[in-house]
Amino acid sequence: MKPHSGRLWVNYLALGLATACALFGLGLLFLILYDIVSHGLTSLSISLLTQDPAGPLGRGGLKGAFLGQGLLTLMAALVGVPLGVLGGTYLAEYGRDKKFSKVIISLCDLAMSLPSIVIGIFVYSILVKPLGGFNGWAGSAALAVIMVPLVMRTTESMLSMVPWTLREAALALGSPYYQVIIKIVYRQAASGILTGILLAIARVAGETAPLMFTSFNNNYFELNLNRPMPSVTVSIYQYAGSPFDAWIGQAWAAALMVTVVVLFLNILGRLLVKVKKA
Amino acid sequence: MSHEPAEAELKDLITIEELCFFFGDNQVLKNINMPIRDKSITSLIGPSGCGKTTLLRCFNRMHDLYPNNHYEGRIRMENRNILDKGQDLIWLRSRLGMVFQKPTPFPMSIYDNIAYGLKLKKITNRSIVRDLVEKALRQANLWTEVKDRLKESALGLSGGQQQRLSIARSLAVNPLVLLFDEATSALDPISSAKIEEMMVELKKDVTMVVVTHNMQQAARISDYTALMYLGSLVEYGETNDIFTRPKMKMTEQYVAGHFG
Ligand SMILES: Nc1ncnc2c1ncn2[C@@H]1O[C@H](COP(=O)(O)OP(=O)(O)OP(=O)(O)O)[C@@H](O)[C@H]1O
Ligand SMILES: [Mg+2]
């Protein structure tokens, strides 16, 4: 029994350390959440969503910024999701044994760990400077560039998890390959792909840096993508750094909203996977 | 009552001539010559790794899915060579159905699983589709078990039911030939018996090639048996002859369970 008890101790030690680290991380997370919720709730009011910005003393809101962020994210998703899904389909299906695909997958992984400010500067140099000013298109493009590798990679891995025998069975019936993909493989992987899309949207919905270099900000209600676009995250950045209590309060409230939306998208994504497994 | 056709009446539906197959540089099938007789069951037997699955997958050109494989020789069917480079694989695969070792239900309803192949053949008239779905499920001995739950997901069926569903799905497109790769090896004896019963019943419409490790099964259901070893055909003949008076010593030992 002696040698056993030694290993047992090492086991307890490792378990204890791991648990402590996990608790520390969780604790920090809850501290941040607590901070956002407690500060955010005190300043949260419906006028945040319904009113245009006012001076530092008035009771304004960030209506334009919320709409602008929504529009930027929507435009980004309209481009990023199809590109990502189709790209992922190429990687997992048509190009699965090709060297080219392995290179693309590595590049995707690299792009995913790139600081988003780098993407902001890149888009600035091709869509802001040449066009003569900040604009909504550039903001959407920056978000789309962040989304594509995320969606592509999750799509690729979800499709790769669909067993080959399923494709073979469909092909053996005389089905053309594209139909096998659309009608069977996509269906089998649907919840996983959807989760990937939601997580990618959640990821870009909270981005600030790439927007500061592209769509910048705008104090007015704006739906024209040719002009600078207001966004919640950049507004938070600007308001939080201001000396005015009313603006700082609005920044907290807006931060709470962004957190809730991102959290909601994440939870929705996880639930989808659960539903699928059940 | 019609009698079983005598051997002379069974024509060769398919003839395999000098067939070789390579995975890259690795030759897995070596100069195979044998017929597949029309409206009969042919068993492929032999020790693990001898090339049964590989041979079966030559018939519907499943190997084409993966790179660096190549075929030599010919598989003739209806005046064509299945292995021709220009062969229309969609057409070919709709003529030769395949049932795999593990059931392969599609992630959709029981009804849609069967209707899938019909849509491929552009059969869309609802009442015709409904009739054909029912016919296929009846042929696969599954109809009575699922007729009240056709709209439910096929993934909720038992393993044995899923396997019969896979068979019904293949039958729905009205194939000339059905290829079975150890289709009953993962099933309980009752499910397996149901499928055997169905195969014998199907013989009047469809020609079947069956890979099996179960000697009793081969003896029970098949009309012809081929024994393979290390990629070569050892002996081909009527099942009765293979099991009772084989020409080769190796066949005698194999069917008696003395090697493999
Ligand atoms: N994808 C592949 N790539 C390379 N070699 C392969 C591949 N598939 C099978 N082989 C080889 O081909 C030979 C025949 O395999 P095959 O699967 O046809 O055997 P089998 O008779 O069906 O065996 P079992 O009874 O175990 O299913 C084996 O030596 C196997 O290692
Ligand atoms: Mg096999």
Side-chain angles (χ1 to χ4, degrees):
Chain A
M1 287 292 121
K2 269 254 166 68
H4 258 89
S5 69
R7 253 185 285 164
L8 220 59
W9 272 111
V10 174
N11 184 33
Y12 281 137
L13 194 70
L15 196 69
L17 271 173
T19 313
C21 291
L23 284 177
F24 180 72
L26 267 178
L28 270 182
L29 186 69
F30 274 105
L31 216 63
I32 294 171
L33 275 179
Y34 173 79
D35 220 28
I36 292 174
V37 171
S38 62
H39 283 93
L41 275 183
T42 51
S43 314
L44 194 65
S45 74
I46 197 75
S47 59
L48 187 75
L49 294 176
T50 57
Q51 296 199 2
D52 284 325
L57 299 174
R59 262 189 75 79
L62 289 167
K63 175 175 111 187
F66 278 101
L67 281 172
Q69 186 106 36
L71 187 64
L72 289 173
T73 309
L74 180 73
M75 295 300 294
L78 282 180
V79 177
V81 168
L83 271 182
V85 170
L86 291 176
T89 305
Y90 175 81
L91 295 178
E93 305 288 338
Y94 293 101
R96 84 195 116 91
D97 293 319
K98 300 209 171 80
K99 262 227 172 69
F100 174 68
S101 306
K102 305 231 159 65
V103 174
I104 298 285
I105 289 176
S106 311
L107 286 178
C108 267
D109 291 343
L110 185 75
M112 287 185 334
S113 50
L114 218 56
S116 56
I117 197 163
V118 175
I119 289 162
I121 290 169
F122 165 71
V123 174
Y124 173 83
S125 70
I126 60 165
L127 281 180
V128 176
K129 243 182 140 200
L131 294 181
F134 297 115
N135 61 80
W137 299 109
S140 310
L143 297 186
V145 170
I146 299 174
M147 277 184 88
V148 169
L150 286 169
V151 176
M152 204 145 118
R153 202 65 172 86
T154 37
T155 303
E156 186 268 334
S157 61
M158 289 303 146
L159 294 181
S160 300
M161 273 161 55
V162 175
W164 268 96
T165 47
L166 201 62
R167 292 178 183 81
E168 287 188 351
L171 288 164
L173 283 174
S175 195
Y177 195 22
Y178 73 91
Q179 281 211 13
V180 176
I181 296 173
I182 294 172
K183 295 210 174 139
I184 291 168
V185 184
Y186 276 165
R187 202 186 283 245
Q188 182 89 356
S191 69
I193 294 175
L194 210 58
T195 299
I197 292 172
L198 284 175
L199 293 183
I201 292 176
R203 160 80 200 277
V204 300
E207 281 293 349
T208 319
L211 294 182
M212 293 217 293
F213 288 93
T214 51
S215 53
F216 192 55
N217 205 356
N218 187 337
N219 268 335
Y220 306 99
F221 176 74
E222 182 64 78
L223 289 177
N224 181 354
L225 286 164
N226 293 322
R227 300 175 43 85
M229 269 274 148
S231 58
V232 183
T233 46
V234 178
S235 298
I236 293 172
Y237 175 76
Q238 289 176 342
Y239 275 25
S242 79
F244 312 112
D245 284 345
W247 281 9
I248 294 174
Q250 284 183 27
W252 277 114
L256 177 61
M257 295 289 298
V258 171
T259 309
V260 167
V261 169
V262 170
L263 205 64
F264 171 76
L265 287 172
N266 271 289
I267 291 172
L268 199 67
R270 314 269 161 208
L271 280 182
L272 268 174
V273 176
K274 280 241 176 69
V275 166
K276 169 78 195 197
K277 277 191 189 135
Chain B
M1 285 293 273
S2 68
H3 283 278
E4 294 245 322
E7 205 222 329
E9 288 175 66
L10 289 176
K11 62 182 201 313
D12 295 350
L13 177 67
I14 298 176
T15 27
I16 305 170
E17 297 171 3
E18 299 170 359
L19 174 69
C20 299
F21 182 81
F22 302 77
F23 285 111
D25 295 332
N26 180 15
Q27 182 169 9
V28 171
L29 296 180
K30 294 165 189 158
N31 192 27
I32 309 258
N33 292 280
M34 71 183 242
I36 303 292
R37 301 255 155 82
D38 199 14
K39 307 275 188 287
S40 67
I41 299 179
T42 303
S43 288
L44 297 178
I45 60 173
S48 186
C50 69
K52 307 179 293 293
T53 299
T54 307
L55 175 57
L56 203 68
R57 288 163 67 93
C58 288
F59 289 111
N60 64 351
R61 296 273 299 269
M62 226 40 180
H63 296 300
D64 288 40
L65 276 175
Y66 306 94
N68 305 325
N69 302 326
H70 81 274
Y71 312 87
E72 280 169 17
R74 294 159 301 282
I75 301 180
R76 297 199 179 282
M77 185 178 92
E78 298 180 319
N79 301 323
R80 311 180 175 220
N81 175 12
I82 286 177
L83 301 180
D84 264 346
K85 283 262 184 306
Q87 175 66 50
D88 176 357
L89 295 185
I90 306 278
W91 174 86
L92 178 72
R93 289 172 185 160
S94 70
R95 305 299 281 146
L96 293 103
M98 181 170 242
V99 180
F100 299 77
Q101 180 173 12
K102 278 206 198 132
T104 49
F106 297 155
M108 48 183 84
S109 72
I110 294 168
Y111 186 92
D112 289 341
N113 258 274
I114 313 289
Y116 180 88
L118 299 172
K119 279 195 202 117
L120 290 175
K121 295 184 87 182
K122 306 271 185 306
I123 302 173
T124 50
N125 180 305
R126 279 180 148 220
S127 69
I128 295 179
V129 171
R130 206 177 320 121
D131 290 348
L132 289 175
V133 168
E134 175 173 346
K135 183 179 164 217
L137 285 168
R138 280 192 191 282
Q139 279 181 307
N141 276 338
L142 189 58
W143 175 251
T144 47
E145 287 160 69
V146 300
K147 66 175 190 291
D148 301 319
R149 47 193 286 208
L150 293 173
K151 292 289 163 215
E152 288 174 29
S153 167
L155 306 177
L157 295 172
S158 76
Q161 290 172 328
Q162 286 182 355
Q163 192 63 309
R164 277 177 283 148
L165 181 78
S166 309
I167 296 171
R169 198 173 58 198
S170 299
L171 286 171
V173 295
N174 197 20
L176 213 54
V177 182
L178 262 186
L179 310 164
F180 292 85
D181 192 356
E182 299 184 45
T184 61
S185 66
L187 304 180
D188 67 286
I190 293 172
S191 301
S192 163
K194 279 188 181 167
I195 289 179
E196 281 186 24
E197 192 186 317
M198 175 217 71
M199 287 170 154
V200 174
E201 185 67 20
L202 270 179
K203 254 196 323 187
K204 56 186 187 306
D205 302 314
V206 189
T207 303
M208 283 163 277
V209 183
V210 178
V211 169
T212 179
H213 278 289
N214 181 334
M215 288 306 115
Q216 286 83 21
Q217 184 177 60
R220 265 195 307 269
I221 63 171
S222 61
D223 307 285
Y224 302 92
T225 297
L227 171 68
M228 295 176 66
Y229 182 65
L230 295 178
S232 300
L233 179 65
V234 175
E235 187 169 353
Y236 166 88
E238 276 188 62
T239 299
N240 214 3
D241 292 343
I242 295 285
F243 280 85
T244 57
R245 39 181 182 280
K247 295 194 185 70
M248 310 290 288
K249 186 88 188 144
M250 188 186 273
T251 311
E252 188 183 325
Q253 288 177 337
Y254 187 77
V255 298
H258 291 323
F259 89 86

